[in-house]
Amino acid sequence: MLEVKTFHMDSFIPMPYEEAIAPRLGLAHQKLQNGTGPGGEFTGWVRLPEDYDREEYARIKAAADKIRKNSAALVVVGIGGSYLGARGVIDLLCSPSYNLKKKDGPNIYFAGNGLDADALGETLDLLDGVDFSVNIISKSGTTTEPAVAFRFLRKLLEARYGKDGAQQRIFATTDRSRGALKSLADKEGWETFVVPDDVGGRYSVLTAVGLLPIAAAGVDIDGLLRGAAEMMERCAVPGYDCPAWRYAAARYQLYRDGKTVEILGCFDPAFRMMAEWWKQLYGESEGKEGKGLFPASVEFTADLHSMGQYIQQGRRLMFETVVRFGPSVRQLSVERDEEDGDGLNFLAGKSLDFIRDKAAEGTLLAHTEGGVPNLIIEAGPRNAETVGGLIYFFEYACGLSGYLLDVNPFDQPGVEDYKKNMFALLGKPGFEDRGAELRAKLNL
Ligand code: PA5
């Protein structure tokens, strides 16, 4: 069962803090449960693990089966919340080397999460001679990056399979009724899945947004939802038995005590993209009105040989949150070598898990003694249930954290600025005046 351990941060906090923060957490909890806080119309994810459309869920599974049978590759086109959750879960539960492994299911490629021609071109090359399907995901249905990539992929599908054949291989996940993608999907007769109105992008991994690609990769999505539902039950009861309360309170107190950066770390390299998902979740939810912890991430032990130096001795800005999973699926032990030329016989017979755990303990002591508080999240064994629970836990703690900061955790007004500039510079109709103004500023 997921547990948050605060022992290695408590000594950094001069006074007990949980009692003092509890009333504010109680109010934040009510706002999430009742949808009465700022952005309350986007709290549909709070009950999602139980309250979801069963008919659509069956269609998600059927579509995943169809893709697994008729496609050697699935291209998932989306950005931000329409991309990171699926990528994180597939890496964590199937492996970051999933595409290189022998398996029953398709390779999964991600496109439309940037504007680099080489990246998109490489993905198109990988589809050469390969049967493939496309899942285009965009809640608004108008986001430039995925829309541009999809135009290329759709053309490739239609060239290879004809319009009718392509129709069987395009799955669109978007708004129930609005947006260019929804209109296009209806016109072309593509199968569609819904991003519910009351669930924002970065809280949508447990909707069709994440579930279709994750199921296509062969992950047990029933298990994912079961784990999320169990965590939902725990979080429905106010108080510090809820691990999200403990995490939200600890990080809020550290923030009030002057920490400005939270580094999420894990000793499991398969967690790297989940950390990217977490960064988006917390960065977009908290970082507004001049407030919020800056979310960063590290992969241990690799980053102990790079960022470890800064963490140990650089400016004292940060605390670490370390996610720990149970034993590795594969157990490897170091063999004795008679010559011991590398001097490693002191590790003979020891498992890699044991060595990793000693590295983790050594790191914890070094970093806390170097002035970096550590929070530990014991996530349990790495499987669909625990990952579902971890996702819900982080989402709930994020909602609580936003309300503790008195910001709306469900909007992202700041991301509009770059879009307006980009459209103006690209000459999109309606942005002409701004375009002229920006070109003058850029001295172009
Ligand atoms: O969390 C969010 O709302 C954003 O990160 C969106 O997911 C992202 O901008 C993509 O938007 P859309 O799904 O509308 O293409």
Side-chain angles (χ1 to χ4, degrees):
M1 190 152 85
L2 186 145
E3 201 186 338
V4 176
K5 293 182 172 164
T6 58
F7 182 80
H8 295 283
M9 65 151 283
D10 286 342
S11 60
F12 290 87
I13 307 286
M15 300 281 282
Y17 61 93
E18 287 194 339
E19 277 310 298
I21 297 175
R24 300 202 54 209
L25 273 173
L27 290 173
H29 172 82
Q30 290 307 325
K31 287 178 187 164
L32 289 181
Q33 292 292 323
N34 304 324
T36 47
E41 65 277 26
F42 293 111
T43 47
W45 57 272
V46 172
R47 292 203 176 70
L48 188 70
E50 270 176 6
D51 189 6
Y52 59 90
D53 179 342
R54 263 58 182 179
E55 182 275 328
E56 179 178 73
Y57 187 67
R59 282 198 303 112
I60 290 172
K61 285 183 164 179
D65 279 350
K66 179 173 165 187
I67 293 165
R68 286 173 69 77
K69 287 198 184 97
N70 74 2
S71 299
L74 169 67
V75 189
V76 180
V77 187
I79 195 166
S82 290
Y83 147 68
L84 285 162
R87 176 124 190 230
V89 173
I90 293 170
D91 268 23
L92 185 57
L93 290 175
C94 302
S95 162
S97 308
Y98 166 83
N99 282 349
L100 300 174
K101 288 167 80 169
K102 283 209 176 90
K103 56 192 175 291
D104 296 335
N107 281 345
I108 311 275
Y109 301 124
F110 292 92
N113 50 61
L115 287 167
D116 181 61
D118 290 331
L120 179 60
E122 268 169 24
T123 306
L124 298 173
D125 289 349
L126 290 169
L127 299 170
D128 211 17
V130 170
D131 276 321
F132 74 103
S133 297
V134 174
N135 182 197
I136 165 77
I137 308 172
S138 177
K139 179 170 179 172
S140 62
T142 55
T143 307
T144 310
E145 291 90 336
V148 168
F150 181 57
R151 192 178 267 213
F152 284 86
L153 287 155
R154 188 183 154 198
K155 289 260 177 299
L156 187 62
L157 271 175
E158 289 178 352
R160 191 165 311 162
Y161 301 100
K163 241 182 163 3
D164 289 349
Q167 190 205 47
Q168 295 301 311
R169 291 175 176 273
I170 297 176
F171 303 87
T173 306
T174 187
D175 188 85
R176 188 181 306 279
S177 56
R178 283 168 301 197
L181 179 57
K182 176 65 182 160
S183 313
L184 197 57
D186 286 347
K187 181 170 151 276
E188 299 291 330
W190 304 328
E191 179 160 15
T192 56
F193 298 94
V194 171
V195 194
D197 288 347
D198 55 2
V199 180
R202 58 191 174 275
Y203 293 82
S204 71
V205 55
L206 298 175
T207 70
V209 169
L211 294 179
L212 178 54
I214 291 169
V219 172
D220 167 22
I221 58 170
D222 291 346
L224 208 62
L225 285 182
R226 212 167 31 247
E230 274 167 25
M231 185 57 73
M232 182 186 82
E233 298 291 322
R234 287 179 76 187
C235 291
V237 182
Y240 283 107
D241 284 344
C242 166
W245 275 51
R246 300 204 71 198
Y247 177 48
R251 60 195 299 286
Y252 179 62
Q253 186 58 41
L254 288 162
Y255 175 72
R256 288 207 300 192
D257 285 351
K259 297 298 179 197
T260 50
V261 177
E262 177 177 11
I263 304 177
L264 190 74
C266 187
F267 281 79
D268 191 332
F271 192 75
R272 192 169 71 86
M273 290 307 297
M274 280 302 291
E276 294 300 319
W277 169 81
W278 171 89
K279 283 197 283 201
Q280 189 219 355
L281 181 64
Y282 280 78
E284 264 193 342
S285 299
E286 288 192 305
K288 49 198 76 160
E289 298 175 29
K291 301 180 199 173
L293 284 158
F294 182 86
S297 65
V298 285
E299 178 192 316
F300 290 148
T301 60
D303 285 333
L304 292 173
H305 299 259
S306 60
M307 294 308 290
Q309 171 58 38
Y310 194 105
I311 296 171
Q312 193 68 45
Q313 294 184 328
R315 285 192 69 195
R316 304 297 69 193
L317 307 164
M318 76 288 277
F319 66 93
E320 280 175 309
T321 299
V322 179
V323 178
R324 296 208 298 219
F325 291 98
S328 303
V329 177
R330 198 182 289 227
Q331 288 298 316
L332 296 178
S333 295
V334 177
E335 278 185 28
R336 171 168 294 282
D337 182 293
E338 280 320 311
E339 290 180 12
D340 197 23
D342 53 11
L344 278 183
N345 270 354
F346 77 101
L347 295 177
K350 302 278 192 299
S351 70
L352 249 66
D353 273 14
F354 175 83
I355 300 169
R356 176 203 60 193
D357 290 347
K358 296 302 136 193
E361 288 163 12
T363 306
L364 171 68
L365 292 175
H367 288 184
T368 48
E369 281 160 19
V372 179
N374 262 243
L375 281 167
I376 295 169
I377 296 171
E378 295 283 4
R382 183 155 53 104
N383 60 37
E385 276 92 349
T386 54
V387 171
L390 187 65
I391 287 170
Y392 190 92
F393 157 79
F394 274 136
E395 289 179 348
Y396 204 79
C398 187
L400 291 174
S401 297
Y403 286 143
L404 283 178
L405 285 180
D406 283 326
V407 298
N408 176 349
F410 306 114
D411 66 359
Q412 54 283 331
V415 299
E416 292 309 313
D417 290 357
Y418 102 88
K419 286 188 197 169
K420 284 185 199 143
N421 287 350
M422 177 176 72
F423 291 149
L425 292 169
L426 284 169
K428 187 171 177 173
F431 290 83
E432 292 79 2
D433 290 351
R434 194 180 176 109
E437 195 188 307
L438 294 183
R439 271 188 293 280
K441 278 190 191 167
L442 284 169
N443 205 15
L444 293 176

